[in-house]
């Protein structure tokens, strides 16, 4: 699926003909069909449901550097997150939540 999608994108971007617009419609239809098929399977949780099950990560400092995963190949660009607010701060890439652990 991904390779045929990629080939369609390459063909459509290299040509300025009316068929290029049709190719983009085809790509859109393939993506929509794939998404609809994935959403029909109710036995699997959505990515947002899975990430919301992870409790907020407690840290001692005011700023945390989120990489998404301990393995750089599986993570995302580093995002530095300020934890000055009382509610958990959310990483814009992976959705992990962080809170500052206050010691009294």
């Amino acid at each position: 699926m991904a390779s045929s999608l990629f080939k369609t994108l390459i063909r459509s971007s290299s040509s300025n003909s009316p068929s290029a617009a049709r190719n983009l419609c085809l790509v859109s239809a393939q993506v929509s069909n794939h998404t609809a098929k994935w959403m029909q399977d109710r036995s699997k949780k959505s990515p947002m449901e899975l990430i919301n099950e992870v409790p907020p990560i407690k840290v001692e400092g005011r700023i945390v550097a989120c990489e998404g995963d301990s393995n750089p190949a599986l993570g995302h660009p580093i995002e530095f997150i300020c934890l000055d607010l009382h509610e958990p701060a959310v990483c814009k890439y992976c959705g992990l939540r962080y809170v500052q652990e206050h010691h009294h």
Side-chain angles (χ1 to χ4, degrees):
M1 158 96 185
S3 62
S4 65
L5 183 65
F6 184 68
K7 289 176 187 175
T8 304
L9 281 172
I10 296 294
R11 280 193 305 261
S12 66
S13 65
S14 64
S15 119
N16 290 328
S17 68
S19 66
R22 282 187 299 239
N23 286 340
L24 288 176
C25 289
L26 176 62
V27 169
S28 177
Q30 287 177 340
V31 170
S32 295
N33 290 339
H34 175 74
T35 302
K37 181 180 173 184
W38 183 80
M39 293 297 288
Q40 287 176 353
D41 187 357
R42 295 292 177 185
S43 65
K44 297 179 185 176
K45 293 183 180 181
S46 73
M48 290 307 293
E49 289 172 324
L50 291 171
I51 200 70
N52 283 332
E53 289 179 356
V54 177
I57 300 165
K58 295 180 181 179
V59 296
E60 291 184 16
R62 283 184 52 235
I63 297 175
V64 65
C66 182
E67 296 181 87
D69 193 79
S70 58
N71 181 347
L74 300 176
H76 57 65
I78 296 175
E79 180 186 9
F80 293 94
I81 304 169
C82 182
L83 304 175
D84 287 343
L85 302 175
H86 292 290
E87 60 270 356
V90 181
C91 175
K92 66 182 176 186
Y93 293 107
C94 65
L96 287 175
R97 295 170 292 154
Y98 295 91
V99 293
Q100 184 177 13
E101 188 172 41
H102 296 284
H103 298 284
H104 296 286

